[in-house]
Amino acid sequence: MKSIPISLTCLLALAGCQVTPDRLPQAEPAPSAACYFPTADEQALETSVDILTEWGFTLTSTDTTLGLISASRERELHGYYDPYDNAYGYGRGMRMFGGLGIGGSSGIGFGFGGVGFGGGIGQQPVEVERVSLFINEAHIRISRDIRRFDHLGDLRESYSASNDDFCQRFQATFEQRAPATGRPL
């Protein structure tokens, strides 16, 4: 009977060790300064949609009253694997439909479990790139992230990709388009 109060006391003591985070979650790495730039183009929404579709993005949603565009594109990743996933046997030799092992000095064992036919055969790992643009009357803000999924469709990597390279290319293309259509910058 004395183990219940002691267990309860230990449980309460451990529950008190949980603390709240000192800051809210943030994008890591932080978005580049180039992902926020001014514009005076009255047709900025249409120009941005044209650029994204030419770059191979598919529009997923738009809200013209808010000035919001969301688009994504997907590509197959040939030869991609998760180096931290030991299911493929990377770094540990070759495994095929089970295993073979020699135990201490007790004998030899064979295993034939885990034959994996079914989901994942014929599927490729994919990378999904998502871009969101917020366009108000004076500025454009770009947010971009990349997610990588393995051959089973499980998320393996996800990171913020709002970097200088993408945002500067978008801004340069945007600025070239606006004067070409006769619209002021």
Side-chain angles (χ1 to χ4, degrees):
M1 286 294 187
K2 293 190 180 211
S3 65
I4 293 174
I6 293 172
S7 301
L8 186 60
T9 304
C10 291
L11 181 65
L12 290 174
L14 289 175
C17 294
Q18 183 179 359
V19 295
T20 58
D22 59 346
R23 64 182 174 100
L24 292 173
Q26 297 175 350
E28 301 282 339
S32 168
C35 293
Y36 183 73
F37 59 93
T39 183
D41 187 4
E42 294 175 4
Q43 302 272 324
L45 194 70
E46 292 84 0
T47 305
S48 299
V49 167
D50 291 342
I51 292 169
L52 290 174
T53 54
E54 286 178 13
W55 286 3
F57 286 90
T58 303
L59 294 179
T60 54
S61 64
T62 57
D63 189 339
T64 56
T65 57
L66 293 176
L68 184 64
I69 301 169
S70 295
S72 66
R73 67 180 168 188
E74 187 176 302
R75 70 181 181 100
E76 290 183 350
L77 296 173
H78 299 286
Y80 175 79
Y81 69 94
D82 184 4
Y84 303 108
D85 187 4
N86 288 325
Y88 299 106
Y90 295 109
R92 288 190 170 184
M94 185 171 136
R95 280 190 265 166
M96 237 174 116
F97 309 122
L100 165 70
I102 300 175
S105 60
S106 60
I108 299 175
F110 292 94
F112 292 104
V115 177
F117 294 110
I121 293 181
Q123 297 176 357
Q124 288 290 327
V126 293
E127 177 181 88
V128 178
E129 180 180 0
R130 299 183 314 171
V131 175
S132 296
L133 295 168
F134 176 67
I135 303 166
N136 62 12
E137 60 276 347
H139 290 87
I140 295 178
R141 181 178 305 272
I142 302 170
S143 175
R144 177 175 166 242
D145 68 75
I146 294 178
R147 294 180 177 190
R148 291 189 174 137
F149 298 89
D150 66 6
H151 67 287
L152 297 174
D154 295 332
L155 179 66
R156 291 298 179 180
E157 289 182 73
S158 178
Y159 59 93
S160 173
S162 301
N163 54 21
D164 281 334
D165 178 51
F166 182 84
C167 294
Q168 287 174 351
R169 283 188 297 126
F170 184 87
Q171 183 178 1
T173 305
F174 183 85
E175 289 173 353
Q176 289 173 355
R177 294 278 174 94
T181 56
R183 294 174 282 197
L185 280 175

